[in-house]
Amino acid sequence: TYVESDVEVLRYSDEFRVLVDRDIQGKLTSLFLLFRKSEETIDWIRSWKTTLFSLLEDVPVNLRPLIASISIDGTSATTIILDSNTGEPLWRPFLYNESCPDALPMVKSIAPANHTVCSGTSTLCKLVSWWNIGGANKTSAVLLHQSDWLLWILHGKLGVSDYNNALKVGYDPEVESYPLWLLSQPYSQLLPSVKAPGASIGFLKEDIRTKFGFPKDCVVCTGTTDSIAAFLAARATEPGKAVTSLGSTLAIKLLSTNRIEDARFGVYSHRLDDKWLVGGASNTGGAVLRQIFTDEQLEKLSDHINPMEASPLDYYPLQAVGERFPVADPEMAPRLHPRPQSDVEYLHGILESIARIEAKAYRLLKDLGATQVEEVFTAGGGAKNEKWIRIRERVLGLPVRRAIQTEAAYGAALLALKGAQHN
Ligand code: ADP
């Protein structure tokens, strides 16, 4: 740490500054170079591994002998390419939001139109981009997702994934294989084998087991993505049950008996055993609320809202121009006017308008052929607003409840339970 007023700071850029300290006569006594780490230089691999082991360390010693099974969820499309001989990464990890537009034309030329992989951030674009750069050790390379890689550290069998994580690399969970258009590519040799989420892969490696005191028959199971794990946490296990996440944006996920895909609205389905988790995300949500009100104001103003009364105000709260779902319109402008004098009325209008968008989203999924929604669980920062829940019940015409568990880690633990039961 340093106090800027005590030293002379010569800034060169956001990443790089020089600090100079002088004595009373102005003679230079010390000189520091400070670098702020950029994304490029952060050693993600080491920090994820260190975190994994510190979490194992955190399991109370008296509970460790009782741990029957372990699973991990990870960020979807965070991709690691390893050397299968040494287990060493051949490239820095591609993070979930990193785009590889260089690979997009090639991916679009082999994949069916509007396939999930046809996005610069897809795992397949990352793989193709690495392949085109001419990455070293191509013949012995293997691709893993973040959770596959962390699980591999625990079980030691290289090259295993689950069909939720593998969706964005092109795996087809319906027919349980990679499609031919992908298998015919030279880089298909890097693709991991795929199991159902929560399937037992093998026992915890002996050195880890003995170091931490986990039991001999502790199994390690395939994981899933963060957002699916968060859905699983709500324990919405029947078709027709849905989870609306009211965080910065509004995201809905509905358990359906059939698979729905529509790239126009960014709607696609993940497989969950014999059902499909259909999802879509709107750009509306809590981020707009936060632009106008503090969280304390939200609570106070909400207290004065009568949720049984419909607000006549018709808004479309967006942070910026453009909407994808349930209306695909890149030109859609935010609509938050007229603003009434009363902040209570204003907030009521915004909450009601977001509820109407949510209702429209569920209607769209039904129109696209998904199972009719019957009950909605709610997660995210907006879930604590009881008045909003009542408004949404009225607008949706459905029971709405706050999910008891919303942490992705809880969903991963449920997957581990499934793996232990089937072992
Ligand atoms: P994320 O993880 O997507 O950033 P969170 O799930 O943490 O978001 O939720 C944060 C959002 O919740 C904020 O945008 C905020 O406007 C909203 N929020 C917080 N308190 C309330 C409230 N009482 N009523 C409605 N929305 C709220």
Side-chain angles (χ1 to χ4, degrees):
T1 55
Y2 65 92
V3 181
E4 291 213 357
S5 55
D6 288 350
V7 288
E8 202 178 317
V9 184
L10 310 169
R11 263 173 247 249
Y12 281 85
S13 72
D14 264 2
E15 273 72 43
F16 178 36
R17 52 183 67 177
V18 179
L19 311 184
V20 187
D21 206 5
R22 297 175 198 274
D23 67 13
I24 214 145
Q25 282 98 32
K27 244 173 61 191
L28 200 75
T29 54
S30 27
L31 181 140
F32 304 92
L33 291 180
L34 281 186
F35 290 95
R36 206 185 64 184
K37 280 190 170 182
S38 70
E39 292 275 300
E40 290 279 313
T41 55
I42 293 174
D43 189 346
W44 289 110
I45 288 282
R46 205 168 64 193
S47 92
W48 292 335
K49 192 170 175 176
T50 309
T51 306
L52 173 65
F53 282 101
S54 74
L55 287 171
L56 292 179
E57 198 77 61
D58 280 351
V59 179
V61 175
N62 60 330
L63 292 182
R64 291 184 196 171
L66 304 174
I67 305 294
S69 177
I70 299 176
S71 185
I72 298 175
D73 65 278
T75 312
S76 171
T78 290
T79 308
I80 302 163
I81 296 174
L82 303 172
D83 186 330
S84 58
N85 294 321
T86 61
E88 288 300 315
L90 290 169
W91 198 256
R92 63 177 176 77
F94 290 93
L95 298 189
Y96 69 101
N97 58 353
E98 193 173 333
S99 187
C100 297
D102 54 298
L104 202 49
M106 190 183 267
V107 168
K108 281 188 169 168
S109 73
I110 56 167
N114 294 327
H115 193 283
T116 322
V117 296
C118 297
S119 145
T121 55
S122 75
T123 316
L124 186 57
C125 279
K126 287 163 184 159
L127 168 58
V128 171
S129 178
W130 177 80
W131 188 263
N132 288 343
I133 293 163
N137 302 29
K138 276 182 170 169
T139 50
S140 58
V142 59
L143 177 147
L144 294 180
H145 307 94
Q146 187 188 39
S147 60
D148 309 335
W149 177 77
L150 287 163
L151 288 162
W152 163 70
I153 294 173
L154 301 181
H155 60 67
K157 293 181 187 164
L158 202 55
V160 186
S161 186
D162 64 84
Y163 55 58
N164 293 156
N165 269 301
L167 195 78
K168 288 187 181 166
V169 79
Y171 186 81
D172 185 344
E174 196 158 5
V175 294
E176 300 193 356
S177 73
Y178 290 104
L180 283 178
W181 56 260
L182 183 51
L183 289 174
S184 57
Q185 304 303 320
Y187 41 80
S188 66
Q189 74 209 26
L190 273 80
L191 298 171
S193 68
V194 178
K195 291 173 174 260
S200 162
I201 305 169
F203 292 116
L204 184 60
K205 271 163 72 178
E206 198 182 336
D207 53 338
I208 300 175
R209 179 170 68 71
T210 46
K211 179 172 175 215
F212 290 93
F214 292 110
K216 210 170 177 173
D217 54 356
C218 177
V219 287
V220 180
C221 306
T222 47
T224 185
T225 65
D226 285 337
S227 62
I228 294 183
F231 178 87
L232 296 174
R235 290 189 183 242
T237 49
E238 298 297 317
K241 306 274 178 188
V243 174
T244 300
S245 296
L246 291 169
S248 303
T249 60
L250 179 148
I252 70 172
K253 286 195 161 60
L254 166 68
L255 205 57
S256 169
T257 50
N258 42 342
R259 181 182 194 176
I260 308 296
E261 310 274 322
D262 196 315
R264 280 175 306 165
F265 301 107
V267 169
Y268 64 95
S269 301
H270 271 289
R271 185 173 161 186
L272 282 181
D273 295 325
D274 57 346
K275 303 179 194 73
W276 294 92
L277 188 55
V278 187
S282 162
N283 292 338
T284 194
V288 182
L289 290 173
R290 205 163 253 174
Q291 278 180 339
I292 307 169
F293 301 112
T294 63
D295 286 5
E296 294 73 47
Q297 284 175 316
L298 285 175
E299 260 180 53
K300 285 213 178 97
L301 295 170
S302 297
D303 279 349
H304 295 96
I305 292 176
N306 176 2
M308 306 324 286
E309 218 170 73
S311 167
L313 298 164
D314 182 24
Y315 302 135
Y316 207 107
L318 293 172
Q319 264 195 311
V321 169
E323 174 65 310
R324 179 102 185 256
F325 172 81
V327 182
D329 179 3
E331 311 289 318
M332 184 191 277
R335 195 172 69 238
L336 278 161
H337 283 98
R339 179 171 183 159
Q341 276 196 328
S342 150
D343 277 349
V344 175
E345 277 175 40
Y346 193 37
L347 177 62
H348 190 168
I350 298 172
L351 298 181
E352 181 118 4
S353 299
I354 296 177
R356 286 190 210 113
I357 297 168
E358 183 184 3
K360 193 167 183 171
Y362 283 115
R363 265 201 309 277
L364 175 67
L365 293 190
K366 180 169 179 277
D367 293 347
L368 294 174
T371 301
Q372 164 91 47
V373 57
E374 284 169 7
E375 183 176 16
V376 175
F377 294 92
T378 306
K384 59 173 170 272
N385 190 325
E386 278 299 325
K387 292 287 176 76
W388 203 2
I389 288 184
R390 299 285 87 80
I391 291 173
R392 293 166 56 221
E393 280 196 316
R394 173 170 51 74
V395 174
L396 295 171
L398 293 168
V400 178
R401 274 197 282 161
R402 194 184 319 169
I404 296 172
Q405 298 290 346
T406 54
E407 285 295 335
Y410 191 91
L414 289 174
L415 282 180
L417 174 65
K418 180 177 158 198
Q421 284 167 338
H422 289 101
N423 192 33

